[in-house]
């Protein structure tokens, strides 16, 4: 029992409610938002160190022992994701101050921001499958509001599509929970895992597993990503950074949790599906990233590629690959947040998102240019940066479990990630400036935020050994679900 | 009893999917609400439709209906109500902005 676990959910919730009463006081809203963000960052550091020392922490809500009540479970995987999410979201919050504009700030932008965080942290920490659904909805409803906030024609159209896809996937989620409740008779993840292991994963449970996979794949953009490039091109760049860094990762977290904890008895079947989807995602995402010539699309397809790569790590399933999956997921949250912030700054500097009408930005914004260059190397997985250790571990795991083709696709996708981002760098920063008047914008604030996040990326890359002590603890629980079950269901 | 409910749920899903695949935004919204009706009935059915009193301890019955799925459905109804309300307003705003509720012509406008 540890009340610390509920604080990452409670703090943004209270913040969001308080901010609703301060509609016109934008400065006060910003101040409270920063305060809450920093508080959460500190608390999640405490949580990680607590779990590092004392093992998996649980909190029985309302004092009802599991499986009867809802239980919050903080294992190292969840805690690291909460920590990374709070670091990235703090960065994006600071970037919002300079980029979102007073009109949107006055219409509850920061409230939506914090409600979205409630959903994200809640999804990471919950130990109950229906509660996961509810936290998904908290996150999604905030994201509907954020994506449509501003109400331009483009946004309205894309929100309608995004909303429809997510309503259908949420409906399927409830259906999957219903089937699973009928088959197993519990909603607690630990007990679910126990009962499925007892009865063996028969045909019905495999069907339910695939239904869950479909639902989470729709949310994560794993193979079923048709909605993602359009939807993520609609909102402003701060919102896009938040979505790219957090939303798909929550879907991925749900996939990883479901298939390392609950449906573990027939790994050939489920991992086969995931591997197949991961390969298709990496290939199709890489094709999209190479094909387009506007910055939002290229960046959106990069999100898709990394989703495929993380799913590949999960399907390989060796201890190495699971460690790599955790490491790469953490890196990717930071990296994608940073990528969209830098992308947003480039668009603001050039006054357009078409690469064909950009050029010569390196003379005016050298820091921005070189940090984008370094980011391209990071996301491709070049050694000094944080993308490398995770990629190595995943590829090694893939080769160990005999998935040669997938490993090659993974390596090839890294190459195309590098190509697509260097294409942005080359066309936006080199060459001659276009003839038209460039907008006069102040990018100092945004660049400072990006530099801050970049320090984290470098620390994660150089301090891989140190990060690994935490990551391997997370990977251990993913590899041996009984640790989780014992921690939750012990007397 | 369960098989009749299964058929009803199947019909609701069929009609919902058909409506979602149509062109006008209003039909799509109606389709999503039929889908959610279907899934709530599914949740109720799959938890078992055995005879028993309403889950109120004051009834002092031998057996009660399973209270858990009822709570889940109640939660899910409220959530889908909120989302549907948002979707209706969004559809209205989209209609005002684009001047049409035909999803095909909304797309063509872009190019």
């Amino acid at each position: 029992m540890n009340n610390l676990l509920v604080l990452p959910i409670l703090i943004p919730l209270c913040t969001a409610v308080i901010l609703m009463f301060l509609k016109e006081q934008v400065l006060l809203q910003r101040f409270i938002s920063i305060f809450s963000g920093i508080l959460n960052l500190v608390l999640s550091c405490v949580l990680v160190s607590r779990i590092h020392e004392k093992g998996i922490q649980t909190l029985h809500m309302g004092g009802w022992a599991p499986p009867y009540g809802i239980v919050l479970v903080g294992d190292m995987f969840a805690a690291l994701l909460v920590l990374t999410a709070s670091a990235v979201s703090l960065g994006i919050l600071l970037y919002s101050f300079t980029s979102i504009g007073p009109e949107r700030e006055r219409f509850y932008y920061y409230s939506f921001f914090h409600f979205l965080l409630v959903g994200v942290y809640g999804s990471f920490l919950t130990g109950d499958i229906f509660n996961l659904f509810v936290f998904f909805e908290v996150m999604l409803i905030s994201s509907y509001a954020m994506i449509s906030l501003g109400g331009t024609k483009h946004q309205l159209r894309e929100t309608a599509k995004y909303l429809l896809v997510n309503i259908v996937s949420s409906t399927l989620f409830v259906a999957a929970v219903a089937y699973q409740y009928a088959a197993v008779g519990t909603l607690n993840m630990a007990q679910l895992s126990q009962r499925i292991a007892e009865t063996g994963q028969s045909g019905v449970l495999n069907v339910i597993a695939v239904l869950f996979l479909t639902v989470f794949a729709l949310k994560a953009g794993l193979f079923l990503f048709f909605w993602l490039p359009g939807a993520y091109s609609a909102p402003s760049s701060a919102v896009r950074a938040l979505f790219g860094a957090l939303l798909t990762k929550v879907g991925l977290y749900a996939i990883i949790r479901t298939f390392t904890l609950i449906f573990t008895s027939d790994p050939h079947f489920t991992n086969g599906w995931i591997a197949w989807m991961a390969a298709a995602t990496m290939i199709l995402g890489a094709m999209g990233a190479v094909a387009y010539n506007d910055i939002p699309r290229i960046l959106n397809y990069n999100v898709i590629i990394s989703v495929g790569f993380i799913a590949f790590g999960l399907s390989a399933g060796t201890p190495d690959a699971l460690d790599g999956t955790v490491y790469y997921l953490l890196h990717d949250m930071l990296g994608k947040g940073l990528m969209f912030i830098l992308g947003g700054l480039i668009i603001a500097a050039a006054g357009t998102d078409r690469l064909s009408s950009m050029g010569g930005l390196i003379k005016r914004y050298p820091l921005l240019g070189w940090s984008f260059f370094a980011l391209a190397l990071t996301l491709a997985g070049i050694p000094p940066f944080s993308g490398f250790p995770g990629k190595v571990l995943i590829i090694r795991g893939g080769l160990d479990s005999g998935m040669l083709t997938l490993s090659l696709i993974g390596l090839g996708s890294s190459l195309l990630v590098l190509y697509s981002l260097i294409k942005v760098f080359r066309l936006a920063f080199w060459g001659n400036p276009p003839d038209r008047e460039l907008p006069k914008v102040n990018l100092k604030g945004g660049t400072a935020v990006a530099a801050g996040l970049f320090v984290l990326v470098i620390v994660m890359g150089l301090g891989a050994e140190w990060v690994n002590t935490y990551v391997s603890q997370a990977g251990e629980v993913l590899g041996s679900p009984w640790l989780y079950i014992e921690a939750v269901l012990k007397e | 009893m369960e098989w009749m409910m299964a058929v009803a749920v199947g019909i609701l899903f069929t009609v919902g999917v058909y409506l979602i695949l149509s062109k006008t935004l209003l039909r799509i919204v109606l389709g999503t609400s039929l889908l959610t009706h279907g899934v709530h009935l599914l949740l109720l059915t799959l938890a078992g439709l055995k005879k028993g009193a309403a889950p109120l301890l004051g009834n002092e019955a031998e057996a009660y209906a399973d209270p858990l799925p009822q709570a889940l459905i109640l939660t899910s109804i409220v959530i889908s109500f909120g989302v549907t309300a948002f979707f209706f307003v969004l559809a209205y705003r989209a209609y005002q902005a684009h001047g049409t509720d035909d999803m095909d012509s909304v797309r063509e406008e872009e190019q």
Side-chain angles (χ1 to χ4, degrees), chain A residues 130 133-134 137 141 144-145 148 150-157 159-161 163-164 167-168 171-172 174-182 185-187, chain B residues 13 20 25 28 32 35-36 39-40 42-43 46-47 66 68-69 71-73 75-76 79 82-84 86-87 90 93-94 97-98 103 106-107 109-110:
Chain A
F130 195 78
F133 164 74
V134 174
E137 289 301 306
I141 293 172
Y144 305 150
S148 61
T152 62
K153 277 172 118 176
H154 185 205
Q155 280 181 313
L156 290 172
R157 193 192 62 209
T159 314
K161 293 184 196 164
L163 193 54
L164 178 60
I167 289 177
V168 172
T171 310
L172 288 178
V174 180
V177 170
Y179 284 125
Q180 171 254 240
Y181 182 67
T186 179
L187 295 170
Chain B
F13 264 86
I20 283 176
L25 202 45
I28 293 174
T32 59
L35 270 190
T36 48
V39 86
H40 295 152
L42 185 73
L43 198 47
L46 283 174
D66 187 351
L68 188 66
L72 302 188
I73 292 168
T75 313
S76 178
I79 290 174
V83 174
T84 310
F86 186 87
F87 204 174
L90 185 83
R93 284 283 286 117
H98 289 277
M103 287 311 272
V106 164
R107 188 177 57 203
E109 219 169 272
E110 184 77 357

Side-chain angles (χ1 to χ4, degrees), chain A residues 2-12 40 43-44 47-48 51 56-61 70-83 85-86 117-129 131-132 135-136 188-189 250 253-254 257 261 484 488:
Chain A
N2 188 346
N3 281 327
L4 197 61
L5 274 177
V6 78
L7 290 180
I9 305 170
L10 202 59
I11 291 171
N40 232 342
L43 273 170
S44 39
L47 188 61
V48 167
I51 292 168
I56 299 174
Q57 303 286 307
T58 59
L59 173 61
H60 306 161
M61 303 301 283
I70 286 176
V71 58
L72 294 186
V73 187
D75 67 339
M76 189 47 101
F77 183 38
L80 284 176
L81 286 173
V82 169
L83 175 60
S86 53
L117 291 182
V118 173
V120 171
Y121 299 147
S123 307
F124 289 151
L125 289 172
T126 189
D128 181 282
I129 197 97
N131 198 227
L132 179 68
F135 276 123
F136 260 112
N188 181 287
M189 291 187 196
V250 177
Y253 167 81
R257 187 58 91 199
L261 177 66
Y484 184 101
V488 175

Side-chain angles (χ1 to χ4, degrees), chain A residues 355 358-360 372 419 421-431:
Chain A
L355 283 174
M358 285 184 191
F372 192 83
Y419 170 74
L421 291 174
I422 290 295
K423 184 171 77 178
V424 173
F425 177 69
R426 187 168 56 85
L427 293 174
F429 288 97
W430 295 133

Side-chain angles (χ1 to χ4, degrees), chain B residues 11-59:
Chain B
I11 292 171
L12 278 172
F13 264 86
T14 317
V15 178
V17 169
Y18 179 79
L19 282 175
I20 283 176
L21 294 175
S22 64
K23 281 182 185 171
T24 44
L25 202 45
L26 192 61
R27 280 166 186 262
I28 293 174
V29 184
L30 292 177
T32 59
S33 54
L34 283 183
L35 270 190
T36 48
H37 280 319
V39 86
H40 295 152
L41 276 183
L42 185 73
L43 198 47
L44 193 69
T45 312
L46 283 174
L49 296 173
K50 292 173 285 296
K51 284 225 165 69
L56 298 166
L57 287 178
N59 284 346

